[in-house]
Amino acid sequence: GSFTPPGEDGPSWVSLQSGGAELMLARASAPVAAPLQAVLFYVYCGDVWGMHGQLVEAGLEPGPIAKPFYNPDGEFRLVDPDGYVVMVTHL
């Protein structure tokens, strides 16, 4: 799916699906820079604790698992090599 606002020549967002994978992209309003964290990357998995353990075993350094009110099954941050934060959260 996509949405093009009235009077615009291109979409402001698009949604892509392939099998069980989904990706949503939105047009940025300014240049994207990792230090500003203006882009949100969310990765969903069925077992946050298991995924955290696998990443540690692989030599990566995921942040601690948090359980905010909106996600009682947990989520954690992982910083990619370019400095962007990837949030890993429960389905």
Side-chain angles (χ1 to χ4, degrees), residues 6-37:
E8 296 286 326
D9 60 353
S12 61
W13 63 262
V14 298
S15 177
L16 309 169
Q17 289 184 313
S18 179
E22 296 181 35
L23 177 65
M24 185 170 206
L25 303 170
R27 186 184 318 157
S29 58
V32 176
L36 301 177
Q37 293 301 315

Side-chain angles (χ1 to χ4, degrees), residues 1 12 14 19-20 27 43 49 53 62 67 69 71-72 74:
S12 61
V14 298
R27 186 184 318 157
V43 176
W49 295 87
K67 291 186 173 184
F69 73 92
N71 195 350

Side-chain angles (χ1 to χ4, degrees), residues 9-82:
D9 60 353
S12 61
W13 63 262
V14 298
S15 177
L16 309 169
Q17 289 184 313
S18 179
E22 296 181 35
L23 177 65
M24 185 170 206
L25 303 170
R27 186 184 318 157
S29 58
V32 176
L36 301 177
Q37 293 301 315
V39 175
L40 299 175
F41 295 102
Y42 274 81
V43 176
Y44 297 90
C45 64
D47 179 4
V48 171
W49 295 87
M51 180 62 69
H52 191 276
Q54 288 178 29
L55 294 170
V56 169
E57 287 179 18
L60 300 176
E61 298 178 6
I65 296 174
K67 291 186 173 184
F69 73 92
Y70 57 84
N71 195 350
D73 291 323
E75 66 181 24
F76 62 88
R77 295 166 52 107
L78 181 68
V79 180
D80 81 0
D82 292 322

